[in-house]
Amino acid sequence: MRSRSLWFVTLATAGIVLGSALATAQAPAPAPARPAALSDNLPIPDAPAPATSKAWLVMDYATGQVLAGENIDTPVEPASITKVMTSYVIAAEMAAGKVKPTDQVMMTERAWREGGAGTDGSYSGFEVNQAAPLVEMEKGMVVQSGNDAAIALAEHVAGSEQAFAQLMNAYAKKIGMKASHFVNPHGLTAEGHVTTAHDLALLGRALIRDFPEAYSYNKIKEFTVGPITQPNRNLLLWRDPSVDGIKTGHTSSAGYCLMASAKRGDQRLITVVMGDTSENQRAVDSQALLNWGFRFYESHQLYAANKSLATQKVWKGDADSVQVGVAQPLLVSTPRGKYERLKASMELPKSLVAPIAKGQKLGTVKVALDGKVVAEAPLVALQGVEEGGFFKRLWHALLMWWAE
């Protein structure tokens, strides 16, 4: 189908207006923007880049937009942040009915020897050859970063660490983690066990969105197994009440790593700092990035799902028009005070011919700030249009020929 010229749209403070010479429609209005401040015309200062980390980023949770970062797609070792992927797999398999939170998970001798107290890594404290409910074993993995618990859980869910790693890679691909490969569930150094800061942020976003109960374990400050009580290693849980996750990691080769998330008001941010120099430094660097992101950026919903943004003529149908909109809410992250400068355009075909299925993609809406596209989404049919009768189709065929 031939494309028509773009319909230009101005996102005004009072709302979003879509228009063209042929049709005009009022889109749902976002929340009114606040009055402009003197600082709104100033450039945003650079993000406080961690001086010693290998890679870092700040991501807006609602949009998945990276607000700032360095080396975000460079392969790095994930260390114990790997366990976030393990948590995601367990939650997904639980949602599919393959395992239950009440399952009795055995702390096998292999899991205990390779990840227990006798090793150099973190451990949960569950006794060897004893079973515990899956949900308790998972908390031992998440809060205490127990390598032994991660191995035991992997064996329970998939039979072996190797089989579980295959599940990890399959789910990673589904999430959109394009440069990650996992070979174990705990994150101890292994050949080919790599990820990126960007992929980890996508993983954290997916866990929060898809499995909020599993995510909630990450804010538990301490966990007790038998006589042993261990604290969560995420220092930000004690320093910032808005922080509710996500996971720390450390090996001699990976350095000190932290994936953090905080929610202030309706806005949530995710930060990733990889390869820092100390436990305290990764917390300090992550805190600075969170403060910067919340201070200088804000999120907006521009279009609600399944709400009409425009009405488009349809030829040869049992209806003469179809309403178009977005199937999912269209959100955007913008520098604070720049909301009024957003501009949008819609690309729609010159002619639509029935039949049209509900949900069928018909075009695209793009939102730009200062000429740079910051968000886009498919425009879909909000209702189906069946073919019209024989004589209507014949008549419209003639009209379409005449309109050429």
Side-chain angles (χ1 to χ4, degrees), residues 359-380:
Q360 179 179 331
K361 180 182 176 181
L362 302 177
T364 305
V365 58
K366 296 181 180 180
V367 182
L369 177 64
D370 298 332
K372 179 182 178 181
V373 174
V374 293
E376 64 179 277
L379 287 169
V380 302

Side-chain angles (χ1 to χ4, degrees), residues 327-386:
Q328 301 295 330
L330 180 58
L331 303 126
V332 64
S333 302
T334 64
R336 291 190 182 277
K338 310 299 184 185
Y339 173 74
E340 294 84 354
R341 291 161 59 175
L342 292 173
K343 294 181 183 263
S345 60
M346 295 196 332
E347 296 174 342
L348 285 166
K350 180 179 180 181
S351 298
L352 292 176
V353 180
I356 296 172
K358 182 179 179 180
Q360 179 179 331
K361 180 182 176 181
L362 302 177
T364 305
V365 58
K366 296 181 180 180
V367 182
L369 177 64
D370 298 332
K372 179 182 178 181
V373 174
V374 293
E376 64 179 277
L379 287 169
V380 302
L382 299 183
Q383 66 277 142
V385 180
E386 299 293 336

